[in-house]
Amino acid sequence: MATLLVCSATDDLHTLQTALAQAAAPVMPDLQVRLWPEAADAADVLAVAAWHPPAGLLNTLPQLQLIASIGAGVEHILRLSDLPPEVPISRIVDSQQARGMAEFILWATLHFHRQMDLVLQQHAQRIWRMPPQRAAVECRVGIMGLGAMGEQAARCLRDNGFTVSGWSRSKHGIAGVDTYAGDAELKPFLAPLDVVVCLLPLTASTYGICNAAFFSQVKPGAALINAGRGEHVVTEDLLAALDSGRLRGAVLDTFAQEPLSPEDLLWNHPAILVTPHMASAASESEIARQIVDNLLRIRSGKSPLHTIDRERRY
Ligand code: OXD
């Protein structure tokens, strides 16, 4: 019997298993949806739906035809050393997830723009002091990464009156947004920003991009929002930039190790707001719909949708 194996070494995917079984039942009644480490005959596994797949699993599945990330990112799959070379890897592309990300970035931008960081400190001390107010158009926000989520976030900020720019590997055109591309344009992109937003994919060239050299190029007093991946930020360099006052604050939604340990220093830093990788996620029903749709495509000899380029790593 054909099997779809749902697996994550870090997260409980029971409810996703149910959503996948419900989506598959009417269109692929012969598909069984198993949750790793439940026993499944390796030779029956046609596809895996994975978050952090356990090491040593994927290369034991001789009939594997699809490795489906259950999120927008795939770096957690690509970092496996035992990844079967020819099997396509797909990701979820969901317009509602992009809207959710835009909402989160708007909220985090407003957190700094409306000085909620300051107001929360005042609140803790029962201080009644109105912070100075300025128009959104005077606040320059720069989005690093102009994929589906970055572009939606840029449009949302623009439509809310902010002065928005974007930076990506290759040049993008977005009406009303100044765009920059490539290493040579990172410095001029960063220099005028009040808020820097990282929504980059994690690749060899973006790993650790928010480092000491990067922070030395941002405008003194700028804020950082990271909803890309934890590995984009060099933690010691971020802490040094905050402690020296070069950076005003940071909203951090993603971390190299998740969940963030209760002992982690980042929780206690007065200029850091930690959010639990909540910026945006696709719904389980949409994840299930896209994965089952891809299985049907494979069954009818078509290529799966939303597959990634392993070289580019997204
Ligand atoms: C994703 C995420 O990749 O939630 O979808 O980080």
Side-chain angles (χ1 to χ4, degrees):
M1 199 179 200
T3 301
L4 166 62
L5 190 60
V6 183
C7 61
S8 171
T10 51
D11 295 72
D12 178 359
L13 300 182
H14 264 97
T15 56
L16 180 63
Q17 177 195 21
T18 308
L20 282 160
Q22 279 167 356
V27 288
M28 295 183 84
D30 61 320
L31 185 78
Q32 61 177 354
V33 183
R34 287 282 166 89
L35 185 63
W36 178 88
E38 233 179 291
D41 192 338
D44 290 341
V45 177
L46 294 186
V48 295
W51 190 234
H52 286 282
L57 173 72
L58 299 183
N59 62 358
T60 63
L61 308 172
Q63 301 302 329
L64 193 62
Q65 292 176 47
L66 179 68
I67 301 168
S69 168
I70 62 168
V74 287
E75 75 294 330
H76 50 291
I77 293 173
L78 290 174
R79 67 167 64 111
L80 290 177
S81 56
D82 56 355
L83 201 55
E86 307 301 338
V87 181
I89 301 172
S90 65
R91 66 192 197 95
I92 301 298
V93 177
D94 175 18
S95 58
Q96 289 307 319
Q97 185 176 13
R99 286 182 75 98
M101 181 57 84
E103 245 172 53
F104 182 89
I105 300 303
L106 176 61
W107 160 77
T109 300
L110 287 168
H111 173 78
F112 293 113
H113 173 59
R114 297 308 308 264
Q115 313 223 33
M116 291 309 293
D117 49 347
L118 179 67
V119 170
L120 288 171
Q121 284 170 21
Q122 291 182 181
H123 181 274
Q125 297 167 59
R126 302 179 182 215
I127 296 175
W128 177 281
R129 191 185 301 133
M130 243 188 247
Q133 203 170 320
R134 58 179 192 151
V137 70
E138 290 171 35
C139 179
R140 294 181 169 271
V141 189
I143 312 277
M144 299 170 67
L146 294 174
M149 297 210 211
E151 182 164 341
Q152 181 104 13
R155 289 180 196 280
C156 171
L157 289 163
R158 175 201 65 192
D159 295 347
N160 279 278
F162 291 94
T163 299
V164 185
S165 52
W167 179 83
S168 49
R169 194 179 57 93
S170 55
K171 190 82 176 168
H172 282 58
I174 307 173
V177 175
D178 284 338
T179 54
Y180 298 75
D183 291 343
E185 293 188 6
L186 183 59
K187 195 172 176 179
F189 161 76
L190 287 177
L193 299 179
D194 298 296
V195 180
V196 186
V197 179
C198 177
L199 285 178
L200 289 163
L202 187 64
T203 66
S205 57
T206 66
Y207 192 101
I209 189 167
C210 301
N211 55 23
F214 175 96
F215 293 126
S216 73
Q217 290 170 23
V218 301
K219 182 166 137 184
L224 174 73
I225 300 169
N226 184 26
R229 289 292 185 245
E231 292 90 337
H232 285 128
V233 177
V234 178
T235 304
E236 311 82 79
D237 296 354
L238 169 67
L239 292 173
L242 289 168
D243 292 341
S244 69
R246 177 86 198 181
L247 271 191
R248 154 192 178 177
V251 169
L252 303 178
D253 188 57
T254 53
F255 303 88
Q257 288 299 322
E258 294 182 1
L260 189 65
S261 144
E263 278 77 49
D264 201 292
L265 290 178
L266 295 174
W267 289 108
N268 297 332
H269 198 287
I272 293 178
L273 180 56
V274 168
T275 56
H277 201 141
M278 57 172 265
S280 182
S283 67
E284 288 187 338
S285 59
E286 181 58 19
I287 297 170
R289 191 194 66 71
Q290 291 190 19
I291 293 176
V292 170
D293 187 46
N294 264 345
L295 293 179
L296 287 170
R297 290 179 67 88
I298 291 172
R299 195 163 263 190
S300 60
K302 296 186 190 144
S303 312
L305 298 176
H306 307 313
T307 51
I308 60 111
D309 175 337
R310 288 196 189 199
E311 286 294 303
R312 252 183 10 173
R313 302 185 81 76
Y314 60 90

